[in-house]
Amino acid sequence: AAAVPASAVQAPAVVRGSVARAVSSWEASNWRGQAVEAEGSRQQEVEEEEEAEPREEIWERYIEPGTLRPWFWSAATDEVFFADDAASGWEMFEDAEGRPWWSHEDSGRFFFEQDEEDLEE
């Protein structure tokens, strides 16, 4: 077996130190990056929660000639549904004053039916 020079034995220790410093530096920057990423992720969650809050919409009520079925139209989204269509996902409720309002539970959307008085304002 060949003899190993003393300089070769010490060289790995220096390399290990450099690697350790590089790894420590990378870990520190990676940790900071993860902290920033986690903060950004939390901000996105807050924004999504704010967007997910129920919001009142405006829908117009119409009556289909011939069948006299009431239906609703949203000008903002160009959606329509018939009041008697349970598959639409819209469900009617009444508030404490007996005013009808509609809720779409899956999307968190709702609206109050407009009275003739409301439309004249």
Side-chain angles (χ1 to χ4, degrees):
V4 178
S7 61
V9 174
Q10 293 178 357
V14 173
V15 171
R16 274 193 223 114
S18 298
V19 170
R21 280 191 297 279
V23 169
S24 295
S25 174
W26 176 83
E27 286 174 344
S29 66
N30 190 41
W31 180 84
R32 281 190 296 272
Q34 288 175 348
V36 168
E37 191 175 294
E39 180 59 32
S41 177
R42 176 67 187 132
Q43 180 63 31
Q44 183 177 358
E45 287 174 15
V46 168
E47 289 170 3
E48 288 172 0
E49 288 171 8
E50 289 172 357
E51 290 175 8
E53 289 183 25
R55 59 193 178 283
E56 184 175 358
E57 298 180 357
I58 297 173
W59 288 69
E60 297 176 29
R61 185 176 194 265
Y62 295 91
I63 302 293
E64 182 180 50
T67 65
L68 302 179
R69 288 175 67 197
W71 61 279
F72 296 88
W73 173 64
S74 167
T77 62
D78 203 29
E79 293 174 89
V80 298
F81 74 92
F82 281 93
D84 61 357
D85 181 11
S88 70
W90 287 97
E91 187 175 0
M92 189 189 82
F93 299 92
E94 288 186 357
D95 68 6
E97 298 165 5
R99 289 184 347 150
W101 64 280
W102 293 81
S103 172
H104 193 275
E105 188 174 334
D106 290 346
S107 64
R109 298 157 53 202
F110 71 95
F111 68 93
F112 282 87
E113 281 191 36
Q114 301 291 314
D115 292 345
E116 294 297 322
E117 296 168 4
D118 293 340
L119 296 175
E120 293 174 3
E121 290 178 3

